[in-house]
Amino acid sequence: MHKLLTGALSTEKLTVKIPNLPLSLAGLKLVQMSDFHYDNGLLSEKMLTEAIAVSNAAKPDLVILTGDYVNTIAKPIHQLASRLKNLESRYGVYAILGNHDIYYPSSKLEITNALTNVGINVLWNQIAYPLGEKLPLVGLADFYSREFNPEAIMNQLDSTTPRIVLSHHPDTAEILKKWRVDLQLSGHSHGGQIVIPGLGPAMIYYAKIVKKIPKKILRKLPFLRKTHSILRHWQWSQGLHQVGNNQLYVNRGLGTYFPGRLFCPPEVTIITLEVSP
């Protein structure tokens, strides 16, 4: 896809403070990438190569991938996985799946296997400890999956234990408010793709317009309802947010849908963890 439709790759750097974070983990560096949509030109080879290079140059302790590797069919995952195997990280690469990765019944297994075969650890309602027992990594099933059941996973952890939670859909932050989530990493929204400077994602205003359309007319325009349903909390479409006592970071992703991106460049995120005073 032409650069004019996506914008140049942006490297976002931020520091996230976590209460009770062990001093031994202070300064830990995470890299997050999301929403590749590696199919039909939605992500160029040049952009992907640059994103991997940016990640490796950061010398991260952990690389996290937050879903939507393909667009519809699973086949492109094999070529994407051959690229992602070049990611370098001290404690490995961990991934969750997004809604596009379970588009077909067979997609989940094919995509999981392809990533696993190149050394990427895929979490589906699982807890991993790449950073040790004092900072578990929780990977949830996709929000649209029948297997999305955070209670069964989150209740396995003691409330005094800091944790990082991977959940593709940002709206899950509302559900996860009942548990401790020191940092939730999500994607899905593409940042809204079209952002109005000073006002935010155009979808916020689009949603307000759709609400004013009579239901009889809206029934004849299903594509409007579908687009509107991508995200409920458009205020969380990108960046760092406080959600109750929890912190949520939403990555704008690398892939791009029509009509393209405007003031919303694709993103690689570098996060440094510090101890909250």
Side-chain angles (χ1 to χ4, degrees), residues 9-16 28-32 53-55 57-59 239-240 249-252 266-273:
L9 181 67
S10 174
T11 303
E12 303 295 338
K13 298 181 180 180
L14 67 150
T15 298
V16 173
L28 195 86
K29 190 182 295 182
L30 313 176
V31 164
Q32 181 195 7
V54 168
S55 179
K59 300 187 182 302
L240 186 64
Y249 188 83
V250 183
N251 182 293
R252 293 189 299 269
E267 167 183 357
V268 172
T269 315
I270 302 173
I271 302 171
T272 303
L273 302 183

Side-chain angles (χ1 to χ4, degrees), residues 95-98 123-126 137-143 147-154 165-168 172 176 179 184:
I96 55 170
L97 303 184
L123 303 179
W124 181 270
N125 283 338
Q126 292 170 285
L137 188 67
V138 180
L140 298 179
D142 185 68
F143 182 46
E147 296 177 47
F148 178 74
N149 182 17
E151 185 171 1
I153 310 303
M154 301 299 287
V165 177
L166 314 182
S167 183
H168 177 71
T172 59
L176 293 171
W179 295 282
Q184 174 179 335

Side-chain angles (χ1 to χ4, degrees), residues 3 16-17 19-20 37 104 114 117-119 145 183 185 187 230 237 265:
K3 209 168 189 178
V16 173
K17 296 183 178 180
N20 310 120
H37 294 283
Y104 293 108
N117 288 341
V118 296
S145 166
L183 177 60
L185 296 177
I230 292 170
S237 62

Side-chain angles (χ1 to χ4, degrees), residues 192-242:
Q193 284 204 173
I194 298 176
V195 174
I196 304 171
L199 294 177
M203 284 302 298
I204 292 177
Y205 305 94
Y206 171 85
K208 291 178 180 179
I209 293 171
V210 169
K211 285 182 180 180
K212 294 181 180 180
I213 298 175
K215 290 183 179 180
K216 289 183 179 180
I217 297 176
L218 199 58
R219 290 192 193 103
K220 298 179 181 180
L221 303 171
F223 62 91
L224 291 181
R225 300 199 306 274
K226 183 178 180 181
T227 306
H228 178 219
S229 67
I230 292 170
L231 195 66
R232 180 181 178 187
H233 295 280
W234 279 104
Q235 71 272 26
W236 301 341
S237 62
Q238 62 174 295
L240 186 64
H241 303 273
Q242 191 76 29

Side-chain angles (χ1 to χ4, degrees), residues 98-118:
N99 53 300
H100 285 263
D101 305 319
I102 56 174
Y103 193 89
Y104 293 108
S106 62
S107 294
K108 177 176 175 286
L109 180 60
E110 185 173 355
I111 291 171
T112 298
N113 287 342
L115 294 174
T116 301
N117 288 341
V118 296

